Amino acid sequence: MSITIQINQLEKSVQHEGNHTTLLSLPHYVIESGEQVAMMGASGSGKTTFLELLAGITTPSAGSILLNDWLFHELRDNERSHIRLEKMGLVLQDFMLFPHLTVEENVLYVYEQYKDKMNTLLTSLRIQHLRKKKVKHLSKGEQQRVAITRALLHEPSFLLMDEPTSNLDPATARVIIQTIQEEAKKTGATLLIVTHDEKVANCFPRTDNMEKLNFAYNHQEALL
Ligand SMILES: Nc1ncnc2c1ncn2[C@@H]1O[C@H](COP(=O)(O)OP(=O)(O)OP(=O)(O)O)[C@@H](O)[C@H]1O
Ligand SMILES: [Mg+2]
Protein backbone atom coordinates (compact mmCIF):
# COMPACT_ATOMS: atom_id res chain seq x y z
CA MET A 1 0.00 0.00 0.00
CA SER A 2 1.22 3.47 -0.83
CA ILE A 3 0.42 6.88 0.58
CA THR A 4 -1.00 10.09 -0.88
CA ILE A 5 -0.11 13.29 0.95
CA GLN A 6 -2.48 16.25 0.91
CA ILE A 7 -1.63 19.51 2.62
CA ASN A 8 -4.14 22.31 3.10
CA GLN A 9 -3.53 25.73 4.67
CA LEU A 10 -0.65 24.31 6.68
CA GLU A 11 1.06 26.69 9.12
CA LYS A 12 3.83 26.27 11.66
CA SER A 13 4.49 29.15 14.02
CA VAL A 14 6.68 29.49 17.08
CA GLN A 15 7.23 32.03 19.83
CA HIS A 16 10.75 33.24 19.23
CA GLU A 17 12.40 35.88 21.42
CA GLY A 18 8.99 37.10 22.49
CA ASN A 19 7.72 37.36 18.91
CA HIS A 20 5.24 35.18 17.08
CA THR A 21 7.11 33.90 14.00
CA THR A 22 5.56 31.89 11.18
CA LEU A 23 8.16 29.44 9.84
CA LEU A 24 5.97 27.70 7.29
CA SER A 25 2.85 28.66 5.42
CA LEU A 26 1.87 26.19 2.73
CA PRO A 27 -1.60 26.78 1.26
CA HIS A 28 -1.88 23.61 -0.83
CA TYR A 29 0.46 20.78 -1.66
CA VAL A 30 -0.10 17.24 -2.91
CA ILE A 31 2.16 14.25 -3.53
CA GLU A 32 0.41 11.38 -5.25
CA SER A 33 0.81 7.82 -4.10
CA GLY A 34 4.09 6.34 -5.41
CA GLU A 35 5.44 9.69 -6.63
CA GLN A 36 9.16 10.48 -6.22
CA VAL A 37 9.82 14.13 -5.37
CA ALA A 38 13.01 16.09 -4.71
CA MET A 39 12.55 19.22 -2.58
CA MET A 40 15.09 21.99 -3.05
CA GLY A 41 15.35 25.51 -1.61
CA ALA A 42 17.72 27.80 0.24
CA SER A 43 18.92 27.08 3.73
CA GLY A 44 16.26 28.35 6.12
CA SER A 45 13.40 28.13 3.60
CA GLY A 46 11.50 25.60 5.76
CA LYS A 47 12.34 22.17 4.31
CA THR A 48 13.15 20.48 7.62
CA THR A 49 10.21 22.21 9.31
CA PHE A 50 7.95 20.68 6.64
CA LEU A 51 9.47 17.19 6.91
CA GLU A 52 9.11 17.18 10.68
CA LEU A 53 5.42 18.00 10.29
CA LEU A 54 4.95 15.25 7.69
CA ALA A 55 6.69 12.76 9.99
CA GLY A 56 4.51 13.82 12.93
CA ILE A 57 7.54 14.82 14.98
CA THR A 58 5.97 18.26 15.36
CA THR A 59 2.34 19.34 14.97
CA PRO A 60 0.90 22.14 12.82
CA SER A 61 -0.23 25.45 14.28
CA ALA A 62 -3.05 25.46 11.70
CA GLY A 63 -4.26 23.56 8.63
CA SER A 64 -4.31 19.89 7.79
CA ILE A 65 -2.05 17.01 6.83
CA LEU A 66 -3.91 14.17 5.21
CA LEU A 67 -2.05 10.87 4.69
CA ASN A 68 -4.51 8.82 2.65
CA ASP A 69 -7.63 8.96 4.83
CA TRP A 70 -5.86 9.74 8.08
CA LEU A 71 -6.10 13.24 9.40
CA PHE A 72 -2.55 12.76 10.56
CA HIS A 73 -2.21 15.96 12.61
CA GLU A 74 -5.38 15.17 14.60
CA LEU A 75 -4.25 11.72 15.76
CA ARG A 76 -3.04 11.16 19.29
CA ASP A 77 0.75 11.11 19.82
CA ASN A 78 0.88 7.32 20.21
CA GLU A 79 -1.18 6.79 17.03
CA ARG A 80 1.14 9.09 15.09
CA SER A 81 4.18 7.24 16.48
CA HIS A 82 2.62 3.94 15.46
CA ILE A 83 2.09 5.12 11.86
CA ARG A 84 5.62 6.53 11.81
CA LEU A 85 7.07 3.22 12.94
CA GLU A 86 4.98 1.00 10.66
CA LYS A 87 4.51 3.05 7.53
CA MET A 88 7.33 5.57 7.36
CA GLY A 89 11.04 5.43 6.69
CA LEU A 90 12.82 8.52 7.96
CA VAL A 91 16.29 9.92 7.50
CA LEU A 92 16.64 13.14 9.45
CA GLN A 93 19.42 15.71 9.17
CA ASP A 94 20.71 14.43 12.51
CA PHE A 95 20.86 10.69 11.83
CA MET A 96 19.53 9.66 15.28
CA LEU A 97 21.76 6.60 15.54
CA PHE A 98 23.05 4.99 18.74
CA PRO A 99 26.82 5.74 18.64
CA HIS A 100 27.81 2.91 21.01
CA LEU A 101 25.94 0.21 19.07
CA THR A 102 27.22 -1.47 15.93
CA VAL A 103 25.83 -0.86 12.45
CA GLU A 104 23.89 -4.13 12.62
CA GLU A 105 22.49 -3.38 16.08
CA ASN A 106 21.38 0.08 14.98
CA VAL A 107 19.67 -1.15 11.82
CA LEU A 108 17.90 -4.08 13.49
CA TYR A 109 17.04 -2.18 16.68
CA VAL A 110 13.29 -2.07 16.02
CA TYR A 111 12.89 -4.62 13.22
CA GLU A 112 15.09 -7.56 14.16
CA GLN A 113 13.27 -9.92 11.77
CA TYR A 114 14.72 -8.27 8.63
CA LYS A 115 18.28 -9.60 8.71
CA ASP A 116 18.34 -10.78 5.07
CA LYS A 117 16.94 -7.49 3.86
CA MET A 118 19.53 -5.66 5.94
CA ASN A 119 22.38 -7.56 4.30
CA THR A 120 21.04 -6.80 0.81
CA LEU A 121 20.72 -3.11 1.62
CA LEU A 122 24.12 -2.85 3.31
CA THR A 123 25.66 -4.37 0.19
CA SER A 124 23.78 -2.01 -2.18
CA LEU A 125 24.77 0.97 -0.03
CA ARG A 126 28.37 -0.30 0.11
CA ILE A 127 28.73 -0.56 3.87
CA GLN A 128 28.36 -4.34 4.33
CA HIS A 129 31.98 -4.62 5.51
CA LEU A 130 31.24 -2.20 8.38
CA ARG A 131 28.33 -4.10 9.91
CA LYS A 132 30.15 -5.15 13.10
CA LYS A 133 31.68 -1.71 13.68
CA LYS A 134 30.37 0.74 16.24
CA VAL A 135 28.63 3.71 14.65
CA LYS A 136 30.78 6.21 16.58
CA HIS A 137 33.80 4.91 14.63
CA LEU A 138 32.24 5.52 11.21
CA SER A 139 32.61 8.56 8.96
CA LYS A 140 29.61 10.89 8.53
CA GLY A 141 28.92 9.52 5.05
CA GLU A 142 28.97 5.95 6.38
CA GLN A 143 26.67 6.91 9.25
CA GLN A 144 24.32 8.52 6.75
CA ARG A 145 24.10 5.22 4.86
CA VAL A 146 23.35 3.35 8.09
CA ALA A 147 20.43 5.74 8.64
CA ILE A 148 19.25 5.11 5.06
CA THR A 149 19.46 1.33 5.56
CA ARG A 150 17.37 1.58 8.71
CA ALA A 151 14.79 3.73 6.90
CA LEU A 152 14.40 1.27 4.01
CA LEU A 153 14.49 -1.93 6.06
CA HIS A 154 10.79 -2.48 6.81
CA GLU A 155 9.65 -1.50 3.29
CA PRO A 156 7.65 1.53 4.39
CA SER A 157 4.91 3.19 2.32
CA PHE A 158 6.27 6.70 2.80
CA LEU A 159 9.96 7.60 2.66
CA LEU A 160 11.02 11.00 3.97
CA MET A 161 14.69 11.88 3.75
CA ASP A 162 16.33 15.14 4.76
CA GLU A 163 19.48 15.58 2.63
CA PRO A 164 20.30 11.85 2.58
CA THR A 165 23.42 12.34 0.45
CA SER A 166 24.82 15.54 1.99
CA ASN A 167 27.97 13.79 3.29
CA LEU A 168 28.66 11.65 0.23
CA ASP A 169 30.94 12.12 -2.75
CA PRO A 170 29.11 12.53 -6.11
CA ALA A 171 29.72 8.94 -7.32
CA THR A 172 28.54 7.35 -4.07
CA ALA A 173 25.59 9.77 -3.89
CA ARG A 174 24.45 8.58 -7.33
CA VAL A 175 24.54 4.92 -6.30
CA ILE A 176 22.73 5.64 -3.03
CA ILE A 177 19.98 7.67 -4.72
CA GLN A 178 19.53 4.90 -7.29
CA THR A 179 19.14 2.33 -4.50
CA ILE A 180 16.60 4.50 -2.67
CA GLN A 181 14.61 5.06 -5.87
CA GLU A 182 14.66 1.39 -6.84
CA GLU A 183 13.49 0.38 -3.36
CA ALA A 184 10.67 2.93 -3.51
CA LYS A 185 9.63 1.69 -6.93
CA LYS A 186 9.68 -1.95 -5.85
CA THR A 187 7.47 -1.33 -2.83
CA GLY A 188 5.36 1.45 -4.40
CA ALA A 189 6.46 3.83 -1.66
CA THR A 190 5.91 7.56 -1.96
CA LEU A 191 9.30 9.27 -1.75
CA LEU A 192 10.17 12.81 -0.69
CA ILE A 193 13.79 13.82 -0.34
CA VAL A 194 15.31 17.18 0.50
CA THR A 195 18.49 18.04 -1.35
CA HIS A 196 20.77 20.98 -2.11
CA ASP A 197 22.41 19.03 -4.91
CA GLU A 198 21.06 19.75 -8.40
CA LYS A 199 22.57 16.56 -9.79
CA VAL A 200 20.58 14.57 -7.21
CA ALA A 201 17.41 16.56 -7.91
CA ASN A 202 17.82 15.94 -11.64
CA CYS A 203 17.45 12.19 -11.00
CA PHE A 204 13.85 12.83 -9.90
CA PRO A 205 10.79 13.09 -12.14
CA ARG A 206 9.45 15.95 -10.02
CA THR A 207 11.34 18.76 -8.27
CA ASP A 208 9.73 21.36 -5.99
CA ASN A 209 11.25 24.43 -4.41
CA MET A 210 10.43 25.39 -0.82
CA GLU A 211 11.36 29.02 -1.44
CA LYS A 212 8.41 29.25 -3.84
CA LEU A 213 6.01 27.01 -1.90
CA ASN A 214 6.47 28.54 1.54
CA PHE A 215 4.48 31.76 1.70
CA ALA A 216 6.05 32.65 5.06
CA TYR A 217 9.51 32.54 3.47
CA ASN A 218 8.45 34.60 0.41
CA HIS A 219 6.81 37.08 2.68
CA GLN A 220 9.86 37.34 4.91
CA GLU A 221 12.08 37.90 1.86
CA ALA A 222 9.75 40.57 0.51
CA LEU A 223 10.05 42.47 3.78
CA LEU A 224 13.86 42.53 3.69
N1 LIG B 1 12.08 26.45 17.02
C1 LIG B 1 12.39 27.47 16.22
N2 LIG B 1 12.34 28.74 16.66
C2 LIG B 1 12.64 29.76 15.85
N3 LIG B 1 12.99 29.63 14.56
C3 LIG B 1 13.06 28.40 14.09
C4 LIG B 1 12.78 27.24 14.87
N4 LIG B 1 12.94 26.14 14.08
C5 LIG B 1 13.32 26.60 12.88
N5 LIG B 1 13.40 27.93 12.86
C6 LIG B 1 13.73 28.80 11.71
O1 LIG B 1 12.85 28.43 10.65
C7 LIG B 1 13.50 28.55 9.39
C8 LIG B 1 13.35 27.25 8.62
O2 LIG B 1 14.17 26.25 9.22
P1 LIG B 1 14.40 24.82 8.56
O3 LIG B 1 15.24 24.03 9.49
O4 LIG B 1 13.08 24.26 8.20
O5 LIG B 1 15.20 25.23 7.24
P2 LIG B 1 15.78 24.29 6.08
O6 LIG B 1 15.14 24.71 4.80
O7 LIG B 1 15.68 22.88 6.47
O8 LIG B 1 17.32 24.75 6.05
P3 LIG B 1 18.68 23.87 5.79
O9 LIG B 1 18.79 23.74 4.30
O10 LIG B 1 19.75 24.76 6.36
O11 LIG B 1 18.57 22.58 6.51
C9 LIG B 1 14.93 28.95 9.71
O12 LIG B 1 15.07 30.34 9.49
C10 LIG B 1 15.11 28.59 11.17
O13 LIG B 1 16.05 29.44 11.80
MG1 LIG C 1 17.07 21.42 6.93
Side-chain angles (χ1 to χ4, degrees), residues 47-100:
K47 304 177 300 295
T48 296
T49 304
F50 183 44
L51 248 64
E52 287 178 351
L53 288 165
L54 287 176
I57 294 166
T58 55
T59 50
S61 309
S64 65
I65 300 173
L66 208 59
L67 301 186
N68 289 349
D69 296 331
W70 307 305
L71 266 174
F72 191 53
H73 62 287
E74 283 191 352
L75 299 176
R76 287 198 302 267
D77 281 354
N78 63 335
E79 293 170 323
R80 262 203 314 276
S81 303
H82 181 73
I83 289 178
R84 191 185 313 126
L85 218 59
E86 294 282 311
K87 308 273 184 220
M88 293 189 187
L90 300 183
V91 177
L92 301 176
Q93 258 177 316
D94 168 2
F95 313 137
M96 314 291 257
L97 299 167
F98 299 108
H100 299 287

Side-chain angles (χ1 to χ4, degrees), residues 8-204:
N8 275 303
Q9 307 299 338
L10 185 67
E11 298 234 350
K12 182 67 183 176
S13 305
V14 290
Q15 289 295 334
H16 185 59
E17 291 171 353
N19 294 317
H20 182 85
T21 311
T22 302
L23 307 179
L24 188 75
S25 172
L26 203 58
H28 183 70
Y29 186 73
V30 175
I31 304 179
E32 298 294 343
S33 148
E35 240 188 318
Q36 300 196 349
V37 181
M39 180 69 77
M40 298 197 78
S43 178
S45 60
K47 304 177 300 295
T48 296
T49 304
F50 183 44
L51 248 64
E52 287 178 351
L53 288 165
L54 287 176
I57 294 166
T58 55
T59 50
S61 309
S64 65
I65 300 173
L66 208 59
L67 301 186
N68 289 349
D69 296 331
W70 307 305
L71 266 174
F72 191 53
H73 62 287
E74 283 191 352
L75 299 176
R76 287 198 302 267
D77 281 354
N78 63 335
E79 293 170 323
R80 262 203 314 276
S81 303
H82 181 73
I83 289 178
R84 191 185 313 126
L85 218 59
E86 294 282 311
K87 308 273 184 220
M88 293 189 187
L90 300 183
V91 177
L92 301 176
Q93 258 177 316
D94 168 2
F95 313 137
M96 314 291 257
L97 299 167
F98 299 108
H100 299 287
L101 299 185
T102 66
V103 167
E104 220 169 57
E105 286 162 351
N106 265 280
V107 173
L108 297 176
Y109 194 79
V110 178
Y111 307 101
E112 56 194 33
Q113 68 274 37
Y114 291 103
K115 204 159 183 182
D116 288 348
K117 177 85 183 179
M118 175 190 72
N119 284 321
T120 310
L121 286 169
L122 290 177
T123 304
S124 303
L125 298 173
R126 301 181 174 178
I127 48 169
Q128 170 73 351
H129 58 294
L130 300 173
R131 69 187 188 286
K132 302 280 183 207
K133 260 193 150 180
K134 286 194 173 159
V135 157
K136 64 178 178 181
H137 295 137
L138 302 186
S139 74
K140 281 281 175 220
E142 290 163 347
Q143 290 184 24
Q144 196 158 34
R145 283 177 279 164
V146 177
I148 295 170
T149 308
R150 188 182 53 185
L152 295 172
L153 191 71
H154 58 300
E155 305 194 342
S157 317
F158 185 22
L159 288 163
L160 272 169
M161 302 192 175
D162 206 344
E163 303 188 38
T165 59
S166 58
N167 292 290
L168 302 174
D169 62 275
T172 309
R174 203 170 326 118
V175 173
I176 294 337
I177 287 294
Q178 247 170 30
T179 303
I180 295 169
Q181 289 186 312
E182 277 165 19
E183 275 296 314
K185 210 165 193 175
K186 211 158 57 185
T187 60
T190 307
L191 170 62
L192 177 63
I193 74 147
V194 167
T195 184
H196 284 289
D197 185 339
E198 257 177 57
K199 284 209 189 82
V200 168
N202 286 339
C203 300
F204 281 74

